[in-house]
Amino acid sequence: MNALRQFYLEIPVVTRAYTTVCVLTTLAVHLDLVSPLQLYFNPTLIVRKFQIWRLATTFLYFGTIGISFFFNMVFTYRYCRMLEDGSFRGRSSDFVMMFIFGGVLMTFFGIFVNLLFLGQAFTLMLVYVWSRRNPLVPMNFFGVLNFQAPYLPWVLLCCSMILGNTVWVDVIGMGVGHIYYVLEDVYPTLSNGYRLIKTPYFLKRLFNEHIERNYQAAAEDRPGGFPWGGEGQPLLPEQNAADGQEQDQEPADPAPPAAAAPQ
């Protein structure tokens, strides 16, 4: 019991909070404490009945407890944690800002494609951003298909099509992930570029983080390997110098996504 508690407390704070709320929401539905009809995304009820909680609960419910829920939770936890432990290490406030940015865009797009729950699209956004920031990580699909990380979202999209699931969930998740990647990792590296997605001061205070005056993308965050959307983007001279210094340092129910894991 102590080992389980220690494992839980070692999970990064944002990942721990999000996955915990997702599990509790599903348990509440399973125990008939709430109904999925009270959770799904409905713009009419949000605007006319002021049921604003639907803006959040649409990202928290992954379907009834079963194999679909299990796979969705594994993917969400895995890639959420790898992002927070990787490129967002020490920047939990920026990670929360990514959640907010992605949630707002998905809510907007969800109006036009009539999706009831956006949790799986949110997971695909996390997968997409992680895959673009780790372009050289080898992946394995059921032991028969080998590919590199940037192709993972496309593999999941193909699996959705083969299984006959709606592809809008994957398309929205990948689309929002790409928009975030371009604005956060590609545009700031241009000669006249700057960071467009800025984390509010109160979030940084909430996580007791240092306030950065001049943003400079970390080496692992910059576009490279698979320059989709960032072809031929030059780095600033001072960024090249920073790279040289870094080299001297130490380095219905939503359908489940297909299993794929780094080798």
Side-chain angles (χ1 to χ4, degrees):
M1 191 66 180
N2 289 334
L4 182 61
R5 179 176 180 273
Q6 182 179 359
F7 169 79
Y8 178 76
L9 294 177
E10 287 177 352
I11 300 174
V13 60
V14 178
T15 301
R16 182 171 70 238
Y18 180 60
T19 53
T20 298
V21 174
C22 289
V23 172
L24 291 178
T25 300
T26 300
L27 285 176
V29 173
H30 183 72
L31 297 174
D32 291 328
L33 299 177
V34 296
S35 167
L37 297 177
Q38 299 173 288
L39 306 176
Y40 76 96
F41 179 64
N42 187 319
T44 301
L45 294 178
I46 293 172
V47 174
R48 296 183 179 179
K49 300 292 185 178
F50 302 104
Q51 296 181 3
I52 58 175
W53 66 82
R54 294 178 183 272
L55 293 172
T57 55
T58 185
F59 296 100
L60 303 179
Y61 182 63
F62 284 82
T64 55
I65 295 178
I67 192 66
S68 173
F69 171 75
F70 173 77
F71 275 110
N72 276 295
M73 282 293 93
V74 168
F75 256 65
T76 301
Y77 164 77
R78 181 182 183 85
Y79 290 97
C80 192
R81 178 165 187 170
M82 286 196 293
L83 274 175
E84 193 170 3
D85 276 339
S87 57
F88 285 102
R89 179 181 292 275
R91 298 168 50 219
S92 294
S93 60
D94 291 339
F95 197 33
V96 171
M97 191 61 199
M98 173 187 167
F99 274 46
I100 297 173
F101 175 84
V104 170
L105 279 188
M106 287 182 196
T107 299
F108 174 76
F109 293 139
I111 296 175
F112 300 99
V113 295
N114 195 31
L115 290 177
L116 302 182
F117 293 101
L118 298 170
Q120 189 176 341
F122 193 84
T123 299
L124 261 293
M125 178 191 73
L126 298 175
V127 171
Y128 186 91
V129 174
W130 176 86
S131 69
R132 293 305 305 271
R133 289 184 170 182
N134 299 271
L136 301 180
V137 175
M139 308 293 294
N140 181 273
F141 183 71
F142 288 119
V144 296
L145 179 63
N146 295 317
F147 54 91
Q148 289 180 298
Y151 292 106
L152 176 59
W154 300 95
V155 171
L156 298 178
L157 174 62
C158 291
C159 288
S160 293
M161 295 175 64
I162 293 173
L163 295 174
N165 300 323
T166 176
V167 298
W168 283 115
V169 172
D170 304 74
V171 170
I172 289 178
M174 293 169 60
V176 172
H178 186 71
I179 292 172
Y180 178 85
Y181 169 75
V182 170
L183 295 181
E184 186 73 359
D185 294 0
V186 177
Y187 184 70
T189 65
L190 300 178
S191 57
N192 295 320
Y194 56 92
R195 193 180 186 189
L196 293 173
I197 304 174
K198 297 185 178 181
T199 304
Y201 177 75
F202 79 90
L203 279 180
K204 291 188 176 291
R205 285 293 301 271
L206 178 65
F207 290 95
N208 194 29
E209 294 174 357
H210 174 68
I211 308 300
E212 297 179 359
R213 294 184 178 180
N214 297 313
Y215 173 75
Q216 192 175 55
E220 65 271 21
D221 295 350
R222 296 176 187 151
F226 291 80
W228 305 328
E231 290 84 357
Q233 309 294 0
L235 294 179
L236 296 178
E238 59 268 28
Q239 291 172 331
N240 287 325
D243 285 343
Q245 295 176 357
E246 290 171 356
Q247 291 176 357
D248 295 333
Q249 301 175 356
E250 296 181 358
D253 291 347
Q263 291 181 336

